Amino acid sequence: MGRLRDLAAEDNSDTGIDMSPLIDCVFILLIFFIVTTTFVEETGVEVDKPQAASSVRLEKTSILIALTDKGEVVYGGREIGVSGVQPLVKRMLQKEEVPVIIQADTAAQSGLLVRIIDEAKLAGAVKVSIASRQSKS
């Protein structure tokens, strides 16, 4: 009779699934996705870019400066003005040699666009590009 009592006691024991390996796997996947995700940097304003047949994709790491139709020069969601372009580009180029991409609105003044390009080049930028939409052919 002692044997039956031992078997019955084992059946009543709490059998469950160990969740710690599953939680470890979830955390490892989370870390993997965080590390491998690339974040797209935007200027913070909506700009109507002109179309160009010769447009190509540039590198993901770049300095994005926006020029709105109202003449505002925007970087990272805040207005920096034309005078803020040169110090910004100098500071960014100290970390890494990256291209400067200007997202100019189609209605923006060309004189202001030329001043921004000039300020970026005076700051030491070797590669200054103007963003455009690829034309639909």
Side-chain angles (χ1 to χ4, degrees):
M1 186 106 146
R3 278 188 183 163
L4 291 177
R5 243 185 248 146
D6 289 341
L7 288 175
E10 287 179 21
D11 287 342
N12 288 342
S13 65
D14 219 6
T15 57
I17 299 174
D18 188 14
M19 295 295 286
S20 57
L22 181 64
I23 292 172
D24 289 343
C25 289
V26 168
F27 280 125
I28 289 171
L29 283 172
L30 180 68
I31 291 169
F32 171 77
F33 286 119
I34 289 173
V35 170
T36 58
T37 301
T38 56
F39 296 99
V40 177
E41 189 176 324
E42 290 292 327
T43 56
V45 292
E46 189 66 34
V47 175
D48 183 25
K49 295 178 262 188
Q51 287 186 349
S54 63
S55 64
V56 293
R57 288 210 179 270
L58 292 176
E59 302 105 67
K60 290 187 179 182
T61 55
S62 57
I63 303 169
L64 289 174
I65 299 171
L67 174 61
T68 65
D69 57 344
K70 297 178 184 103
E72 299 169 323
V73 181
V74 180
Y75 174 78
R78 57 179 233 254
E79 211 212 308
I80 59 170
V82 176
S83 60
V85 172
Q86 189 172 350
L88 168 79
V89 173
K90 264 186 190 173
R91 187 176 68 243
M92 299 294 279
L93 289 177
Q94 286 176 349
K95 299 175 194 170
E96 182 183 1
E97 188 69 33
V98 292
V100 176
I101 300 175
I102 301 168
Q103 294 180 333
D105 195 282
T106 54
Q109 297 175 0
S110 60
L112 198 54
L113 177 61
V114 171
R115 283 182 53 202
I116 294 170
I117 293 170
D118 194 39
E119 289 289 321
K121 288 193 175 193
L122 287 173
V126 178
K127 196 172 180 184
V128 180
S129 303
I130 299 171
S132 64
R133 288 181 288 138
Q134 200 156 25
S135 66
K136 297 169 187 156
S137 305

